[in-house]
């Protein structure tokens, strides 16, 4: 299959995934995301160095999207939460059951995504080392910023008495964030083309942070419904929290879909092809030791550095050493 056709297929499916997510067509978005990542895996095999690890990572990302699509199918099979009687005896048990299934599906999808990020780490680890001080500093600052953002989100959204529960029940998301930050730090120390691997690693880290936030939110919903069912919380607040629906264009879902596709795509594009080296900018290798900008060694073995005379012509030939014409 031609490379241009693969690129066109990836672009079309990626745009469809982001557009469908913005229009709340969740299943269409997830399936288009999986299709785009499968095409990207084929591109990784034909395009880049460390191709098998990259292709495997893209395929596992596609599997995570399909797991979330199955969760949407499962949620659509609920008969409803309406009934007669107090909410604690009718609505809350059904809502708790649905929230528990959603949490378990999200946990599985996050574990699958964790495997995908680990595969991307292995792919980037296989790239040649590069000494780039500016890029190392930039990726380190970006990793610290993402980590601080994740900690700030936990501090604002989770009570202190719930931190232990988050660490116990949302650990796949925390590990995915840690793997994403490791990928970002590693990308600053490996050879790539025009910062694309570093930029893609940054997007993967941000997407892992979004996934961790979603998993934490799913667990908090289960916890709130459980407390309300046991009489320890407000039932109406729990119902309002678990049934909140966004109106209009869902920019957050569209951004998540874009991050899921763009991160691995930039890593694939930024990975050098087999048998090639990056050129220009700070991607060039360091100068050879003991020389000024890797200057060529001086000519030795005589006082006359001129090239040997051309053969087969009379012009430019020096006189014979013995004086003959």
């Amino acid at each position: 299959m031609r490379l241009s056709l693969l690129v066109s297929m990836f672009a079309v499916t990626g745009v469809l995934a982001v557009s469908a997510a913005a229009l709340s067509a969740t299943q269409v978005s997830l399936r288009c995301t999986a299709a785009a990542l499968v095409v990207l895996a084929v591109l990784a095999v034909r395009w880049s160095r460390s191709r098998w690890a990259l292709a495997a990572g893209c395929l596992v990302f596609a599997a995570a999207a399909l797991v979330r699509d199955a969760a949407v199918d499962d949620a659509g099979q609920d008969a409803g939460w309406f009934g007669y009687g107090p909410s604690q005896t009718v609505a809350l048990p059904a809502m708790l059951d649905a929230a528990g299934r959603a949490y378990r599906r999200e946990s599985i999808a996050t574990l699958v995504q964790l495997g995908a990020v680990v595969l991307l780490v292995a792919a980037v680890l296989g790239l040649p080392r590069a000494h780039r001080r500016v890029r190392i500093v930039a990726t380190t600052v970006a990793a610290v910023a993402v980590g601080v953002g994740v900690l700030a989100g936990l501090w604002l959204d989770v009570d202190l008495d719930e931190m232990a529960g988050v660490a116990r029940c949302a650990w796949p998301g925390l590990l995915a964030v840690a793997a994403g930050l490791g990928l970002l730090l590693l990308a600053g120390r490996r050879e790539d083309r025009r910062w694309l691997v570093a930029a893609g690693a940054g997007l993967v880290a941000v997407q892992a942070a979004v996934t961790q936030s979603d998993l934490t939110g799913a667990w908090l919903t289960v916890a709130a419904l459980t407390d309300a069912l046991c009489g320890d919380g407000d039932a109406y607040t729990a119902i309002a929290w678990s049934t909140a629906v966004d109106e209009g264009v869902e920019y957050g879902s569209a951004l998540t879909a874009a991050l899921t596709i763009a991160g691995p795509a930039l890593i694939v594009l930024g990975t050098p092809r087999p048998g090639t080296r990056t050129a220009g900018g700070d991607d060039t290798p360091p100068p050879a030791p003991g020389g000024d900008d890797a200057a060529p060694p001086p000519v030795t073995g005589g006082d006359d550095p001129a090239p040997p005379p051309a053969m087969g012509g009379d012009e430019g030939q020096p006189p014979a050493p013995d004086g003959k014409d």
Side-chain angles (χ1 to χ4, degrees), residues 119-146:
L119 286 171
L120 292 184
V121 171
V124 175
L125 189 62
L127 297 177
R129 294 178 179 270
H131 302 277
R132 300 167 295 188
R133 185 172 301 175
V134 174
R135 196 169 305 185
I136 291 174
V137 172
T139 52
T140 303
V141 171
V144 171
V146 174

Side-chain angles (χ1 to χ4, degrees), residues 53 56-62 64 111-121 204:
C58 294
L59 290 177
V60 177
F61 267 116
L111 280 173
V112 176
Q113 181 175 329
L114 171 62
V117 178
V118 171
L119 286 171
L120 292 184
V121 171
V204 170

Side-chain angles (χ1 to χ4, degrees), residues 165-295:
V166 170
R168 183 179 66 255
C169 300
W171 61 268
L174 298 175
L175 287 182
V177 171
L181 296 180
L183 174 65
L184 181 56
L185 292 173
L186 183 63
R189 294 161 173 80
R190 287 299 185 269
E191 183 177 299
D192 68 351
R193 293 185 298 184
R194 302 184 182 277
W195 290 62
L196 291 179
V197 172
L203 295 183
V204 170
V206 173
Q207 202 272 340
V210 173
T211 300
Q212 185 274 332
S213 178
D214 293 340
L215 181 60
T216 301
W219 179 82
L220 290 175
T221 300
V222 174
L225 291 171
T226 303
D227 291 342
L229 188 61
C230 296
D232 297 332
D234 186 3
Y236 297 102
T237 302
I239 293 173
W241 190 359
S242 61
T243 58
V245 178
D246 295 331
E247 297 181 356
V249 179
E250 295 189 7
Y251 296 103
S253 300
L255 180 60
T256 301
L259 290 174
T260 304
I261 297 172
L266 290 180
I267 294 177
V268 171
L269 291 176
T271 304
R273 292 189 179 185
T276 61
R277 293 185 61 86
T278 56
D282 57 354
D283 290 332
T284 55
D292 297 330
D293 296 330

Side-chain angles (χ1 to χ4, degrees), residues 95-116:
M95 296 173 65
L96 179 60
D97 181 67
R101 291 201 306 271
Y103 162 72
R104 288 189 293 270
R105 292 280 189 174
E106 186 64 27
S107 298
I108 295 173
T110 305
L111 280 173
V112 176
Q113 181 175 329
L114 171 62

Side-chain angles (χ1 to χ4, degrees), residues 296-307:
V299 179
T300 58
D303 297 331
D304 187 6

Side-chain angles (χ1 to χ4, degrees), residues 17-138:
V18 176
S19 302
L23 298 176
S24 302
T26 306
Q27 285 188 292
V28 176
S29 175
L30 290 172
R31 292 169 185 175
C32 289
T33 299
L37 290 170
V38 170
V39 175
L40 185 62
V42 179
L43 283 171
V45 172
R46 298 189 57 181
W47 179 275
S48 60
R49 189 182 298 176
S50 300
R51 52 187 181 177
W52 298 115
L54 279 177
C58 294
L59 290 177
V60 177
F61 267 116
L66 293 178
V67 170
R68 292 188 172 94
D69 177 64
V72 175
D73 281 334
D74 186 38
Q77 297 175 0
D78 291 330
W81 297 326
F82 299 101
Y84 295 99
S87 60
Q88 288 86 349
T89 60
V90 178
L92 286 180
M95 296 173 65
L96 179 60
D97 181 67
R101 291 201 306 271
Y103 162 72
R104 288 189 293 270
R105 292 280 189 174
E106 186 64 27
S107 298
I108 295 173
T110 305
L111 280 173
V112 176
Q113 181 175 329
L114 171 62
V117 178
V118 171
L119 286 171
L120 292 184
V121 171
V124 175
L125 189 62
L127 297 177
R129 294 178 179 270
H131 302 277
R132 300 167 295 188
R133 185 172 301 175
V134 174
R135 196 169 305 185
I136 291 174
V137 172

